[in-house]
Amino acid sequence: MDKFFCAEASRQAEENPIGWAAPCQLYILIECPPPWGGDEFASQSVPANLRVLVEEIYQSEPSAMVLLIYSHILTKKTSTKLLIFRQKPGLCDGYTKQETEVNDVNDIAPVLQDYLANPIPPEEPPPQTRDILICTHGSHDKCCAKYGIPFYRQAIATVNSFGLENVRIWQSSHFGGHRFAPTALDFPSGRCYGRLDAKSFTSILTHSGDIQDLRSVYRGWGILSGSDYPIPAQLVEQELMLRYGWDWFNYKIASQIVEQNEDASFNCVELIFETPNGAIARYRADVVEDKSKALYLIGDCDGTEVEKLPKFFVKNLTQVEFDSD
């Protein structure tokens, strides 16, 4: 079992990563150098006041995710960054950002409390900087180290090769999906990817190339929530993304479950989007579980129990008219 890697098992089983992006309305990113323990907030480098505050955040904000980040290039000895990404309301294209620096990680907790109490309004101008997180949290799951650390270095080299000064690459603690390592979160959009390589990362970075290639690496979008994994709306969004091409990343989007049976094996999803020129469209689709194609895998490197991983597919994807008064 020591030689078992959950990401390799998932690849060999040809598991599709779509629909496995964790629903999240609030991301809090705290600059803090590794090593990180399996529970990153129990790490020696995390001060006690921050550890207590993180526990309080998870109790009051169930849709939040608090992550530690680090960059051997970006990190300064004289300051510590704090980044907060909040989901925009209604039809949206991602998250608003608040960013600040403090003198030391010990000063993060009171500043974070103030930021949470005073969020920026959604009409603020969009962030000019793109922050891409690569999970390298090997003490959580060894696949994140085996695949994540080399890819983190490769991602930095790719960004440098394009001369993209407004793109920052960070190591990150765990944000889910280690069996899809190497995994990435791309802000301010907040979209989630896995099984990345140089080619797919270049396409994501530049929004160019064959968008059909995203079918094998796109995990979904935490903005599109649902009742359970895989998130039905995320599957529908991927189908429309592949249909509309790279322009899709400029659209504002919202979704809802219109109908769902008791075990969530059938879902009717409605997705609405608005283009930059103001055109609005609405689609409906059925997202149905194919119980004959479920996978049974060990979900993490230290696991011993086989778990069922359902297989869903999209059918009857149709553009529908808006209701008129």
Side-chain angles (χ1 to χ4, degrees):
M1 188 60 70
D2 288 345
K3 295 183 179 179
F4 175 76
F5 291 94
C6 62
E8 184 58 32
S10 177
R11 286 175 189 264
Q12 291 178 1
E14 299 182 346
E15 181 187 7
N16 193 325
I18 186 61
W20 293 97
C24 189
Q25 296 178 355
L26 173 67
Y27 288 96
I28 299 169
L29 315 182
I30 301 167
E31 193 174 22
C32 183
W36 303 321
D39 174 2
E40 62 268 44
F41 294 101
S43 303
Q44 186 175 359
S45 55
V46 177
N49 64 343
L50 180 55
R51 191 175 305 124
V52 170
L53 179 58
V54 169
E55 292 176 358
E56 293 174 354
I57 290 171
Y58 278 129
Q59 290 174 2
S60 62
E61 299 272 3
S63 64
M65 188 179 298
V66 188
L67 300 171
L68 301 182
I69 60 172
Y70 177 77
S71 166
H72 69 286
I73 296 173
L74 300 170
T75 298
K76 304 174 185 177
K77 293 182 179 180
T78 56
S79 63
T80 298
K81 284 186 175 62
L82 168 66
L83 293 83
I84 298 177
F85 291 94
R86 294 178 185 270
Q87 180 180 331
K88 298 176 184 178
L91 284 167
C92 74
D93 56 1
Y95 296 76
T96 59
K97 182 177 78 168
Q98 290 173 279
E99 178 175 344
T100 190
E101 292 187 7
V102 298
N103 292 331
D104 186 84
V105 70
N106 292 284
D107 301 324
I108 284 287
V111 174
L112 176 55
Q113 284 180 309
D114 182 64
Y115 267 49
L116 292 175
N118 299 284
I120 59 174
E123 64 269 14
E124 286 289 317
Q128 298 301 310
T129 301
R130 191 171 172 185
D131 291 285
I132 300 177
L133 279 54
I134 312 295
C135 181
T136 60
H137 196 175
S139 60
H140 185 95
D141 190 279
K142 63 184 181 182
C143 280
C144 297
K146 177 179 174 63
Y147 300 103
I149 292 175
F151 185 76
Y152 162 71
R153 299 190 186 108
Q154 184 180 57
I156 290 174
T158 302
V159 168
N160 290 340
S161 70
F162 283 99
L164 300 175
E165 296 181 357
N166 65 330
V167 178
R168 303 186 296 196
I169 304 295
W170 301 94
Q171 294 186 63
S172 171
S173 60
H174 190 63
F175 48 78
H178 37 264
R179 70 180 187 275
F180 303 121
T183 60
L185 270 172
D186 184 2
F187 290 106
S189 75
R191 286 187 166 90
C192 192
Y193 302 90
R195 299 213 186 109
L196 292 166
D197 57 19
K199 180 183 177 183
S200 59
F201 183 67
T202 297
S203 291
I204 294 163
L205 197 61
T206 61
H207 289 177
S208 64
D210 187 355
I211 197 167
Q212 298 298 321
D213 291 343
L214 291 192
R215 189 179 290 279
S216 62
V217 300
Y218 188 50
R219 287 179 53 197
W221 202 17
I223 282 173
L224 304 177
S225 61
S227 61
D228 205 352
Y229 293 121
I231 304 298
Q234 295 183 8
L235 276 74
V236 176
E237 194 234 355
Q238 183 190 57
E239 292 302 314
L240 290 170
M241 174 190 294
L242 299 177
R243 178 178 296 189
Y244 281 88
W246 294 108
D247 287 342
W248 183 259
F249 288 79
N250 299 315
Y251 296 174
K252 296 179 179 179
I253 302 165
S255 69
Q256 63 175 335
I257 303 293
V258 178
E259 182 182 353
Q260 185 179 73
N261 64 359
E262 186 174 350
D263 66 356
S265 61
F266 169 84
N267 309 266
C268 180
V269 176
E270 180 175 282
L271 190 147
I272 301 173
F273 66 86
E274 180 181 2
T275 68
N277 63 9
I280 298 177
R282 180 171 70 175
Y283 281 81
R284 282 194 179 183
D286 298 328
V287 181
V288 183
E289 182 181 358
D290 186 342
K291 296 185 179 181
S292 68
K293 294 186 178 179
L295 297 176
Y296 294 86
L297 299 173
I298 296 175
D300 55 77
C301 290
D302 294 326
T304 57
E305 299 294 326
V306 171
E307 57 181 299
K308 177 187 175 182
L309 302 172
K311 171 69 174 179
F312 285 78
F313 63 95
V314 177
K315 67 176 186 178
N316 303 326
L317 178 60
T318 307
Q319 186 171 1
V320 296
E321 297 295 328
F322 280 93
D323 298 329
S324 58
D325 294 330

